[in-house]
Amino acid sequence: MQLHRDDVVDGALTILDQYGLADLTMRRLAGSLNVQPGALYWHFPNKQALLGAVADRILAPMEHPVAASDWPGAMTELAHRLRNCLLAYRDGAELVSATYASRLTTSKGRERIAGAAIRAGMPREQAELAAYTLLYYVLGHTVDEQSRMQMDSAGALPTPSSPEPAEDPDPTARFDFGLQLFTAGIRHRLGAEIR
């Protein structure tokens, strides 16, 4: 059987889901595909390039059409879609965050968010900054969310011992609150520039 690039990415996603990012090694991947590690380098020059392709696969739904017609709805929809893409795979947020930081993944999702900001009336330079801000909000929130889920499943989260108010247990509600602040900030900025 001939090994294809998509087979390698599929195998990497399987290992990511089963074992996590720390255990996604070229040796383990080659073993799971029943090939020598060198066969992987025919498709990817190094592990970082492979991780970039895995991140692109995770983010593929970001290319689907957006249902919302207004800019706040489009930004909110894209932010939720990004979060869902990241949560779909164990350590998905950590992997995508690392590949964004090293510029190894495509920026189509960020570009779509910037497009929504441009439709809101922001100049391109500000729209790009707004898109980065929202992207890193989603990545940071989701890395924390996935880490907490994994610690909880391992029984490693401490039990609150103080009478302080408990954190809202609904991560989607916390996420939505941040999105509301974000879009309100854009509305405010746009209003201030019109005056």
Side-chain angles (χ1 to χ4, degrees), residues 121-166:
M122 293 185 95
R124 176 166 289 283
E125 185 176 312
Q126 290 180 12
E128 292 288 339
L129 291 173
Y132 273 115
T133 301
L134 184 55
L135 170 71
Y136 288 114
Y137 166 70
V138 177
L139 286 170
H141 184 281
T142 314
V143 164
D144 179 72
E145 187 176 350
Q146 283 189 317
S147 295
R148 293 182 65 77
M149 289 181 338
Q150 290 174 15
M151 288 189 304
D152 186 42
S153 70
L157 281 180
T159 306
S161 59
S162 66
E164 295 177 20

Side-chain angles (χ1 to χ4, degrees), residues 72-143:
M75 283 189 167
T76 299
E77 183 178 334
L78 288 166
H80 273 281
R81 187 180 300 169
L82 176 57
R83 177 175 172 254
N84 291 338
C85 289
L86 302 173
L87 289 173
Y89 297 94
R90 179 178 175 175
D91 294 338
E94 183 182 349
L95 184 145
V96 170
S97 182
T99 60
Y100 261 113
S102 60
R103 307 296 189 255
L104 289 171
T105 191
T106 62
S107 57
K108 292 177 184 170
R110 184 189 50 77
E111 290 166 2
R112 297 205 59 206
I113 294 168
I118 290 169
R119 285 192 298 283
M122 293 185 95
R124 176 166 289 283
E125 185 176 312
Q126 290 180 12
E128 292 288 339
L129 291 173
Y132 273 115
T133 301
L134 184 55
L135 170 71
Y136 288 114
Y137 166 70
V138 177
L139 286 170
H141 184 281
T142 314
V143 164

